[in-house]
């Protein structure tokens, strides 16, 4: 912890050693939910036969009366949560992101977002790194879907600590919140403050800016360290909140560096890259490159293999950074 | 009888507001008018002056397209002025074409995409159990709406969570948007299907106040969650609308409105 603080105060990563041992993001959610349950009796949680996978099972063990197993019925789950929220409860609705919000978009849209209900939606096992289950289970469009819904806050945490803080923050935020998480254990970033809508600069830089979310933040830091060796100073921004997006930090990056690269474990259409581009083109147009899955479905394979095949690596970021600056 | 007169007032308001809007759903609004009259003027424990009272009974509208019958019931109960009904479907109105939760007092949920309200109603009933409150949640469903899988997901959960504080009712008018429900998607044997979900199934006329009230009172006293199948007639009370699916989603013109109001006024 002391080491983290030291790195953070310098604002610079000296090496890959700054990334700490891997931890499970869903465990952070599970732990935070139990903590919330202790603090507030209005916290309730739902499972659609995935309590163990999403980690609402820890909450269920602690507060069995406030955990509802609704079976494999994501549409009903979202609607029931809306009804409980109307009665003052704070429901956490968890399932795989392909179903939640993939299967229950209509319910999320009308019964939760249009009604501005205080429901927290956990899209677990999102992204291509869910791996072997294949394309049906790899949510690569959930950021685009959720980002287009009025009233909905969209958060994509990048590691254990951020998931924990995002979960706690979401309960304090009045209104619907979508939180995206992945399955693999991920390297830990140095601990930062977490404020919804306020992105964090993880590394200062003056030539180019890399804006990332989720596990692509770690890849971006690795890329920035490599670029530094080649004499390129890359700013790295962890854009944990996709909506409302931190416009100020983007505009400053557009003004102070020569180009912006965005990186996300998501389709290149409609996600983080699009959100950043919207701010850039309206305020201070500069060259951009959007890195993500290029309008294609994924496939079975291990997480690292898929990241490599679909170009979601520090190597790809380095290549695009050099292209953008040349 | 007072309820009969109230029901006539509500039906006339429905016709006038839909005529003024120029479009909207007339048939189902009329087929449920007697049931809504009984709920708002006799059955439900509600106070229009205190619409957010945590202990109030709630009506969750799942078949949101029959918004006019709910808006008219709310206005005639005193939740907002009857004159406001004429803003239905107009720009800046609180009375949206399909209801928007809390947009006007007494609108308990957002509805329109079919199948969603019943899940919301399950949430209200679960909250009552959690908080040890004894309010009753009522949920209005259309029969065509039962085509939606979400409704049956909700039935599973009503049984699982033993929600005998939730009373669902179906407007069984046997027609839906584009035809007779037997042609679009047959529901029968409906009572058997519902009973197989371990629900207490009651069948009653949706146009006879004695039967409507008896059905709701019996549901309130049931240990099992209840669903009432109300046999109704699309466009009830207006001869040229009755039973025709063509009146599901259109509004009467000036002449039709005049004739329809006369028939309602002169009806039983």
């Amino acid at each position: 912890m002391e080491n983290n603080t030291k790195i953070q105060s310098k604002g610079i990563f000296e090496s890959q050693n700054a990334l700490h041992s891997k931890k499970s993001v869903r465990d952070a959610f599970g732990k935070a939910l139990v903590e919330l349950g202790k603090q507030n009796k209005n916290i309730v949680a739902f499972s659609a036969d995935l309590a163990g996978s999403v980690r609402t099972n820890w909450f269920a063990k602690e507060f069995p009366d406030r955990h509802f197993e609704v079976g494999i019925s994501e549409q009903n789950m979202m609607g029931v949560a809306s009804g409980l929220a109307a009665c003052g409860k704070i429901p956490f609705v968890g399932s795989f992101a392909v179903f939640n919000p993939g299967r229950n978009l209509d319910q999320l849209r009308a019964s939760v977002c249009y009604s501005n209900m205080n429901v927290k939606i956990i899209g677990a096992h999102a992204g291509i790194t869910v791996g072997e289950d294949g394309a049906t289970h790899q949510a690569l469009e959930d950021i685009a879907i959720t980002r287009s819904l009025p009233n909905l806050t969209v958060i994509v945490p990048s590691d254990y600590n951020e998931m924990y803080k995002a979960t706690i923050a979401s309960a304090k935020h009045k209104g619907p919140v979508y939180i995206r998480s992945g399955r693999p254990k991920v390297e830990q970033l140095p601990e930062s403050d977490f404020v919804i809508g306020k992105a964090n600069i993880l590394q200062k830089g003056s030539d180019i800016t890399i804006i990332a979310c989720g596990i692509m933040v770690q890849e971006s830091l690795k890329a920035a360290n490599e670029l530094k060796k080649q004499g390129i100073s890359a700013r790295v921004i962890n854009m944990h909140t996709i909506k409302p997006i931190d416009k100020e930090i983007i505009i400053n990056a557009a003004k102070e560096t020569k180009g912006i690269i965005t990186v996300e474990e998501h389709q290149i259409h409609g996600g983080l890259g699009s959100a950043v581009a919207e701010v850039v083109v309206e305020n201070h147009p500069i060259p951009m490159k959007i890195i993500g899955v290029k309008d294609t479905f994924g496939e079975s394979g291990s997480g690292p293999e898929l990241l490599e095949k679909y170009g979601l690596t520090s190597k790809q970021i380095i290549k695009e950074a050099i292209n953008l600056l040349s | 009888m007072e309820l009969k007169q109230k029901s006539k007032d509500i039906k006339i308001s429905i016709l006038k507001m839909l005529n003024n809007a120029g479009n909207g759903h007339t048939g189902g609004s009329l087929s449920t008018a007697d049931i809504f009259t009984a709920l708002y003027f006799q059955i439900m424990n509600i106070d229009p002056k205190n619409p957010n009272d945590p202990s109030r009974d709630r009506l969750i509208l799942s078949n949101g397209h029959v918004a006019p019958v709910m808006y008219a019931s709310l206005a005639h109960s005193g939740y907002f002025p009857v004159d406001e009904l004429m803003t239905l479907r107009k720009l800046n109105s609180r009375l949206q074409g399909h209801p928007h939760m809390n947009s006007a007092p007494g609108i308990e949920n957002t509805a329109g995409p079919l199948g969603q309200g019943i899940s919301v109603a399950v949430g209200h009933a679960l909250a009552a159990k959690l908080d040890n409150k004894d309010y009753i949640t009522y949920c209005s469903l259309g029969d065509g709406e039962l085509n939606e899988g979400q409704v049956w997901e909700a039935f599973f959960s009503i049984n699982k969570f033993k929600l005998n504080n939730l009373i669902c009712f179906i407007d069984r008018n046997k027609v839906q948007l584009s035809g007779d429900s037997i042609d679009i998607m047959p529901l029968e044997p409906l009572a058997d299907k519902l009973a197989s979900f371990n629900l207490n199934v009651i069948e009653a006329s949706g146009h006879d106040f004695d039967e409507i009230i008896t059905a709701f009172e019996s549901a309130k006293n049931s240990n099992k969650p209840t669903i009432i199948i109300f046999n109704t007639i699309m466009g009830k009370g207006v001869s040229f609308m009755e039973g025709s699916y063509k009146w599901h989603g259109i509004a009467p013109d000036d002449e039709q409105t005049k004739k329809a109001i006369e028939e309602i006024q002169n009806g039983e």
Side-chain angles (χ1 to χ4, degrees):
Chain A
M1 191 59 73
E2 200 184 324
N3 190 29
N4 286 354
T5 314
K6 203 168 136 196
I7 290 162
Q8 199 188 1
S9 66
K10 284 165 87 175
I12 285 176
F13 268 67
E14 296 298 342
S15 72
Q16 281 188 38
N17 296 337
L19 293 170
H20 295 280
S21 61
K22 292 187 173 187
K23 286 177 89 173
S24 159
V25 174
R26 60 177 152 163
D27 285 357
F29 167 69
K31 198 176 161 213
L33 190 62
V34 169
E35 184 54 34
L36 283 169
K38 287 177 186 162
Q39 292 170 10
N40 187 343
K41 67 177 175 49
N42 284 325
I43 302 285
V44 298
F46 285 88
S47 159
D49 200 15
L50 287 171
S53 304
V54 180
R55 281 288 182 270
T56 56
N57 57 333
W58 294 349
F59 181 91
K61 198 175 167 201
E62 200 85 21
F63 310 104
D65 296 343
R66 290 194 262 147
H67 183 268
F68 304 103
E69 174 57 74
V70 293
I72 310 161
S73 69
E74 297 80 11
Q75 301 171 60
N76 184 47
M77 173 168 70
M78 188 70 83
V80 177
S82 166
L84 278 158
C87 300
K89 306 298 173 194
I90 306 173
F92 279 77
V93 169
S95 183
F96 294 165
V98 278
F99 313 131
N100 183 45
R103 187 68 167 257
N104 54 20
L105 169 61
D106 187 22
Q107 290 73 18
L108 171 62
R109 178 179 178 271
S111 289
V112 173
C113 292
Y114 183 36
S115 305
N116 206 10
M117 286 290 95
N118 199 16
V119 177
K120 317 304 169 186
I121 300 102
I122 308 299
H125 288 37
I128 204 157
T129 48
V130 75
E132 291 80 356
D133 280 344
T136 55
H137 283 53
Q138 294 161 352
L140 294 171
E141 54 291 296
D142 55 307
I143 298 175
I145 290 168
T146 52
R147 192 170 87 75
S148 64
L149 291 170
N151 295 335
L152 186 60
T153 295
V154 180
I155 302 173
V156 185
S158 52
D159 71 355
Y160 182 96
N161 289 328
E162 199 162 70
M163 184 67 185
Y164 187 90
K165 290 176 179 178
T167 304
I168 302 289
S170 75
K172 295 199 164 79
H173 175 89
K174 202 166 166 15
V177 179
Y178 174 65
I179 304 177
R180 178 192 221 225
S181 74
R183 180 167 66 178
K185 290 185 176 177
V186 295
E187 292 163 305
Q188 293 302 291
L189 298 164
E191 203 158 339
S192 306
D193 289 342
F194 181 86
V195 178
I196 291 174
K198 278 291 191 197
N200 295 326
I201 297 178
L202 300 186
Q203 177 157 309
K204 292 177 183 170
S206 53
D207 293 325
I208 195 164
T209 301
I210 306 168
I211 302 178
C213 63
I215 60 169
M216 290 298 108
V217 174
Q218 285 85 333
E219 290 301 310
S220 299
L221 281 171
K222 289 174 194 167
N225 287 328
E226 281 304 310
L227 286 166
K228 194 177 182 185
K229 291 177 192 163
Q230 300 182 35
I232 295 170
S233 165
R235 180 179 304 184
V236 177
I237 295 172
N238 174 10
M239 191 65 74
H240 53 70
T241 307
I242 311 293
K243 189 183 177 185
I245 201 150
D246 187 340
K247 286 184 182 173
E248 195 187 341
I249 213 165
I250 297 170
I251 294 167
N252 287 342
K255 287 179 178 167
E256 294 162 10
T257 63
K258 300 180 196 80
I260 293 176
I261 294 179
T262 62
V263 202
E264 62 201 297
E265 192 193 355
H266 183 270
Q267 296 289 354
I268 52 171
H269 299 133
L272 169 70
S274 299
V276 171
E278 287 159 16
V279 176
V280 169
V281 294
E282 285 192 351
N283 293 282
H284 193 89
I286 58 160
M288 272 190 70
K289 177 68 190 177
I290 295 171
I291 298 177
V293 176
K294 299 182 186 73
D295 199 20
T296 180
F297 287 100
E299 63 187 288
S300 289
S302 73
E305 284 171 337
L306 290 163
L307 290 174
E308 181 72 33
K309 177 166 178 179
Y310 290 85
L312 301 171
T313 58
S314 59
K315 201 169 67 185
Q316 188 69 19
I317 299 168
I318 292 162
K319 195 176 129 196
E320 296 294 356
I322 292 166
N323 278 346
L324 201 64
L325 289 172
S326 62
Chain B
M1 185 183 171
E2 200 201 348
L3 285 177
K4 275 191 178 170
Q5 188 52 50
K6 280 286 176 205
S7 173
K8 283 185 180 183
D9 294 345
I10 285 168
K11 286 173 185 167
I12 290 166
S13 282
I14 289 168
L15 290 160
K16 284 183 180 168
M17 67 200 285
L18 282 161
N19 168 250
N20 190 58
N23 48 55
H25 298 81
T26 308
S29 296
L30 290 176
S31 65
T32 49
D34 295 327
I35 303 163
F36 275 64
T37 302
L39 281 170
Y40 278 90
F41 291 92
Q42 181 153 339
I43 300 292
M44 286 202 292
N45 174 31
I46 48 172
D47 176 6
K49 290 183 187 64
N50 194 5
N52 298 317
D53 180 353
S55 64
R56 73 194 182 280
D57 286 347
R58 296 108 209 266
L59 178 84
I60 303 298
L61 195 67
S62 202
N63 50 342
H65 57 281
V66 302
V69 71
M70 185 178 76
Y71 294 157
S73 303
L74 289 170
H76 284 276
S77 301
Y79 283 86
F80 48 82
V82 173
D83 287 350
E84 192 173 343
L85 294 175
M86 289 302 133
T87 68
L88 173 73
R89 291 179 168 249
K90 304 288 188 192
L91 194 64
N92 300 323
S93 173
R94 298 197 293 178
L95 308 182
Q96 293 292 297
H98 292 85
H100 180 212
M101 180 176 175
N102 292 336
S103 151
I107 302 177
E108 297 278 7
N109 66 306
T110 295
L114 295 173
Q116 294 198 25
I118 186 168
S119 298
V120 174
V122 169
H124 280 263
L126 270 181
K129 296 268 184 197
L130 272 179
D131 294 339
N132 290 316
K133 290 203 164 80
D134 60 3
Y135 65 78
I136 293 174
T137 303
Y138 295 86
C139 180
S140 167
L141 294 148
D143 55 357
E145 182 176 14
L146 300 190
N147 296 176
E148 286 284 5
Q150 185 179 357
V151 174
W152 302 88
E153 292 182 358
F155 288 153
F156 276 120
S157 59
I158 289 169
N159 173 50
K160 174 173 179 177
F161 299 120
K162 302 183 167 44
L163 299 177
N164 64 337
N165 57 348
L166 169 62
I167 300 173
C168 297
F169 59 92
I170 300 168
D171 174 24
R172 183 76 173 113
N173 60 29
K174 298 189 175 169
V175 288
Q176 53 196 95
L177 189 146
S178 60
D180 293 342
S181 62
I182 198 168
D183 298 324
I184 306 297
M185 186 51 70
L187 291 177
E188 296 299 340
L190 181 56
D192 292 347
K193 286 187 176 110
L194 297 169
S196 76
F197 278 72
N198 207 21
L199 301 171
N200 172 38
V201 183
I202 298 175
E203 289 189 76
S205 160
H207 300 304
D208 179 311
F209 283 108
D210 288 340
E211 285 200 33
I212 294 169
I213 288 160
T214 305
F216 280 126
E217 291 301 337
S218 161
K220 280 189 200 177
N221 295 318
S222 170
N223 291 324
K224 268 164 73 168
T226 296
I227 186 152
I228 305 169
I229 302 170
F230 280 124
N231 292 307
T232 61
I233 296 166
M234 173 75 92
K236 170 70 178 174
V238 180
S239 58
F240 56 92
M241 295 182 185
E242 284 194 356
S244 168
Y245 73 85
K246 288 179 180 156
W247 281 96
H248 166 88
I250 59 168
D253 64 20
D254 292 350
E255 199 179 320
Q256 289 166 330
T257 302
K258 191 166 164 260
K259 193 160 176 272
I261 289 174
E262 274 171 22
E263 287 192 24
I264 298 286
Q265 277 168 338
N266 298 330
E268 326 172 8

